[in-house]
Coordinates of all heavy atoms in Angstrom, one line a residue:
W212 N 112.8 124.7 102.3 CA 111.9 124.9 103.5 C 112.1 123.7 104.5 O 111.9 123.8 105.6 CB 110.4 124.8 102.9 CG 109.9 126.1 102.3 CD1 110.5 127.3 102.5 CD2 108.7 126.2 101.6 NE1 109.7 128.3 101.9 CE2 108.6 127.6 101.3 CE3 107.9 125.3 101.0 CZ2 107.6 128.1 100.4 CZ3 106.9 125.9 100.2 CH2 106.7 127.2 99.9
E213 N 112.3 122.6 103.9 CA 112.4 121.4 104.8 C 113.8 121.2 105.3 O 114.1 120.4 106.2 CB 111.9 120.1 104.0 CG 110.6 120.2 103.3 CD 109.4 120.7 104.1 OE1 109.5 120.8 105.4 OE2 108.5 121.4 103.5
G214 N 114.7 121.9 104.8 CA 116.1 121.9 105.3 C 117.0 120.6 104.9 O 117.9 120.3 105.7
L215 N 116.5 119.9 103.9 CA 117.3 118.7 103.6 C 118.6 119.0 103.0 O 118.8 119.8 102.2 CB 116.5 117.8 102.6 CG 115.2 117.3 103.1 CD1 114.6 116.3 102.2 CD2 115.1 116.7 104.5
N216 N 119.7 118.3 103.5 CA 121.0 118.4 103.1 C 121.3 117.6 101.8 O 120.2 116.7 101.6 CB 122.0 118.3 104.1 CG 122.1 116.8 104.6 OD1 121.6 115.8 104.0 ND2 122.5 116.6 105.9
G217 N 122.4 117.4 101.3 CA 122.7 116.6 100.1 C 122.3 115.2 100.2 O 121.6 114.6 99.3
D218 N 122.7 114.5 101.3 CA 122.4 113.1 101.5 C 120.8 112.9 101.7 O 120.2 112.0 101.2 CB 123.1 112.5 102.7 CG 124.7 112.4 102.4 OD1 125.0 112.2 101.2 OD2 125.4 112.4 103.4
E219 N 120.3 113.7 102.6 CA 118.8 113.6 102.8 C 118.0 113.9 101.5 O 117.1 113.2 101.3 CB 118.4 114.6 104.0 CG 119.0 114.3 105.2 CD 118.9 115.3 106.2 OE1 119.0 116.6 105.9 OE2 118.8 115.0 107.5
L220 N 118.5 115.0 100.8 CA 117.7 115.2 99.6 C 117.8 114.1 98.5 O 116.9 113.7 97.9 CB 118.3 116.5 98.9 CG 117.6 117.2 97.7 CD1 116.2 117.5 98.0 CD2 118.4 118.4 97.3
A221 N 119.0 113.3 98.5 CA 119.2 112.3 97.5 C 118.2 111.2 98.0 O 117.6 110.6 97.1 CB 120.6 111.9 97.8
E222 N 118.1 111.0 99.4 CA 117.3 109.8 99.7 C 115.7 110.2 99.4 O 115.0 109.2 99.0 CB 117.5 109.7 101.2 CG 116.6 108.6 101.9 CD 116.9 107.2 101.4 OE1 118.1 106.9 101.0 OE2 115.9 106.4 101.4
A223 N 115.4 111.4 99.6 CA 114.0 111.8 99.4 C 113.6 111.7 97.9 O 112.5 111.3 97.6 CB 113.7 113.2 99.9
L224 N 114.6 112.0 97.1 CA 114.4 111.9 95.6 C 114.6 110.6 95.0 O 114.5 110.3 93.9 CB 115.3 113.0 94.9 CG 115.1 114.4 95.4 CD1 116.2 115.3 94.7 CD2 113.6 114.8 95.0
E225 N 115.3 109.7 95.9 CA 115.7 108.4 95.4 C 116.7 108.4 94.2 O 116.6 107.7 93.2 CB 114.4 107.5 94.9 CG 113.4 107.2 96.0 CD 112.3 106.4 95.5 OE1 111.3 107.0 95.0 OE2 112.3 105.2 95.8
I226 N 117.7 109.3 94.4 CA 118.7 109.4 93.5 C 120.1 109.4 94.2 O 120.0 109.6 95.4 CB 118.6 110.5 92.6 CG1 118.5 111.9 93.3 CG2 117.3 110.5 91.6 CD1 118.4 113.2 92.4
S227 N 121.2 109.5 93.6 CA 122.4 109.6 94.2 C 122.7 110.9 94.8 O 122.0 111.9 94.4 CB 123.6 109.3 93.3 OG 123.7 110.2 92.3

Side-chain angles (χ1 to χ4, degrees):
W212 281 346
E213 312 310 336
L215 296 189
N216 66 29
D218 290 332
E219 295 165 330
L220 189 59
E222 179 65 24
L224 299 172
E225 297 182 279
I226 59 178
S227 69

